[in-house]
Structure formats: C-alpha cells, structure tokens
Amino acid sequence: MRSIIIAGNWKMNKTIGESISMVKELKTLVRDIGDRAILVCPPATALSSVGAELKGSNISLGAQNMHFEENGAFTGEISAGMLKEIGVEYVILGHSERRHVFEEDDSLINKKVKTAISSGLKPILCVGETLEERENGRMEDVVSTQLSDGLGGIEDIKNLVIAYEPVWAIGTGKTATPSQAEEVHVLIRKVLGAIFDDEISEGISILYGGSVKPGNIKELISQDNIDGVLVGGASLDAKSFSEIVKC
Ligand code: PEP
C-alpha cells in the first residue's frame, strides 16, 4: 500500500502572519482526515512559526529547498539539520523553478537527495519535461535521466517521494490530462524498478503536480499510479487546498 500525499508548495508567498492564519483555518477544515499525509511547504521565514502552529495536528511541515552541506560558508543557504531542528519532515528538491530559474542540475540535486535521506528528512524529488522537450519526443529520455542521475548512489529509499511535474503545466493553468499523467507515472515506476527493483518501486509514492485544482483532482487521483499531488497556486487558499485534500 502506497501512502497518499497531498502537498502544498507556497513558493515565495505569505508573510508569517498570513501563513499562521492560513494554517489555523486549514487545520479546522481538514481535522477529520486521517487516511492521507497532508503537508504544507511555507517559505523559509515562516517554517518555524507554522511548525509551532501545526503541532498536534494531522498536517506535516515541508521545506521548499535545502543545501546539501551540514554547515559552512554558504551564504543564504539552509541545511537539513536546521530544518530538522524546527520540525520539518519533508523537503521539495529539484523543483522546476530551482532547475530553470536557479540552474540546479541533476548532480547538485542528487547531493541534496542523499543529504536529505541521511538526515532523516523525506525528499520529494521533482522531475518533469518542458513543452519543447515533450514536442521533440524527448519526454521519456528527460524524465528517465532526471531520475537515474538524481537518484544515483542512493540505496536507502524508504522516505523517498517522487513528484512528476511537467514544466508546461506548472502555474500555467494547463493540466496534463489524467491519462497523460498516468502514462508518465507508469514510466517513472518502470525507471524506479530498474534503478532499485520492482518491489521497491511499487512502494514509492509518485505525486502529480501542475495546475491541480479542486475541479480536476478527482480524475487525477483516480489513476492507478497517481499517489497524491503537489499543489502550487491552489494551495495558497485554505478552502481550495482543503477541497483538494478531501478528494
Ligand atoms: C508547483 O509549484 O509545484 C505547482 C505544481 O504549481 P501550480 O499548482 O501552481 O501549477
């Protein structure tokens, strides 16, 4: 049985005050949900306060990024240990905005995934092709390489989560159709089977991300290999995120 995970990525949105009032409302709206993992990933400045507000609730705390080193001269960066100290459980790694805006490559992302796992965090490794790559018939190649390079040298995968986020669907309002998404999730499971083995691959939750909303969640989540979602825009509002959580 794979865990169903509904994750909200707030990106660079919300002050501490806004974050607290959002999670106060969200806690009430989803307090009866017990069959899935719910998590919010606020900006770094709000992590600690949101973590305190979430104590004792059924909502977990996630970070949007981290550095792979334990400490040192890395101005502006945050380590896995620092995240753990304030109660962070999950960390999003290799998000397409990190890859494309901040030029993170698979080798850097691989170091981060290794550190996250060895530190006891649950990494959500994001993969996905651009529109140009899809139109040039390179989707399979791009996604497979992001997985094999991003997961190179990793043996302990018990906390690993994968998110398939086609770049052309992130923040654009264009969602992959449920069958388009399922097709790539099946491919991802096959690649994970080749990297690890089929039994391990069957146990890894693969989330879909890209313009998920209350109106399209049901069809997406009903696919066999879609084990949850990573939500950007629609996770900023407690009511719309709670409707996705309750799908
Ligand atoms: C994301 O940021 O991971 C994402 C999927 O964003 P959106 O839901 O806004 O497309």
Side-chain angles (χ1 to χ4, degrees):
M1 270 294 276
R2 295 189 287 268
S3 322
I4 299 291
I5 301 170
I6 312 289
N9 172 17
W10 296 359
K11 311 192 188 194
M12 198 173 71
N13 292 295
K14 295 193 188 294
T15 60
I16 295 174
E18 289 163 350
S19 302
I20 296 297
S21 53
M22 149 70 178
V23 290
K24 272 191 195 292
E25 191 184 348
L26 183 65
K27 274 198 305 188
T28 315
L29 290 168
V30 302
R31 74 175 157 227
D32 298 328
I33 307 286
D35 63 345
R36 56 202 56 200
I38 308 165
L39 74 126
V40 293
C41 305
T45 48
L47 277 171
S48 191
S49 323
V50 169
E53 185 62 42
L54 292 178
K55 274 220 171 76
S57 78
N58 56 347
I59 306 172
S60 301
L61 187 63
Q64 300 174 16
N65 184 31
M66 53 159 246
H67 197 271
F68 62 87
E69 289 286 0
E70 223 170 279
N71 49 45
F74 301 102
T75 302
E77 294 290 328
I78 298 173
S79 73
M82 293 167 186
L83 295 178
K84 290 273 294 177
E85 186 187 23
I86 54 168
V88 170
E89 191 178 334
Y90 292 83
V91 59
I92 300 172
L93 296 175
H95 188 278
S96 81
E97 286 145 23
R98 301 294 323 169
R99 290 177 188 266
H100 297 288
V101 184
F102 301 99
E103 298 182 357
E104 291 194 5
D105 62 13
D106 288 325
S107 117
L108 175 70
I109 294 162
N110 176 247
K111 288 183 190 157
K112 293 185 178 198
V113 176
K114 283 180 173 155
T115 300
I117 290 179
S118 64
S119 309
L121 288 168
K122 299 174 179 167
I124 303 176
L125 170 63
C126 302
V127 298
E129 80 289 359
T130 62
L131 186 58
E132 193 189 353
E133 288 162 343
R134 175 167 276 260
E135 287 175 347
N136 289 336
R138 296 193 49 233
M139 178 276 286
E140 280 204 35
D141 183 37
V142 168
V143 170
S144 305
T145 304
Q146 287 173 342
L147 286 169
S148 51
D149 290 358
L151 297 172
I154 291 167
E155 278 157 27
D156 176 2
I157 48 79
K158 80 175 167 295
N159 285 332
L160 177 67
V161 179
I162 303 291
Y164 168 57
E165 299 209 304
V167 180
W168 47 271
I170 298 179
T172 59
K174 281 189 207 151
T175 322
T177 63
S179 61
Q180 265 177 330
E182 174 68 5
E183 186 193 350
V184 186
H185 283 228
V186 169
L187 165 77
I188 291 172
R189 209 169 293 291
K190 200 171 110 202
V191 175
L192 292 174
I195 299 173
F196 305 111
D197 65 43
D198 287 344
E199 201 187 326
I200 288 176
S201 167
E202 281 301 320
I204 298 176
S205 296
I206 307 175
L207 317 185
Y208 168 78
S211 300
V212 174
K213 303 178 216 61
N216 59 23
I217 179 68
K218 273 205 171 68
E219 269 198 297
L220 287 162
I221 204 84
S222 66
Q223 303 296 310
D224 285 350
N225 287 281
I226 299 185
D227 309 310
V229 283
L230 179 52
V231 188
S235 74
L236 293 171
D237 175 72
K239 194 157 179 307
S240 76
F241 190 54
S242 73
E243 283 170 27
I244 294 171
V245 167
K246 291 176 184 169
C247 60

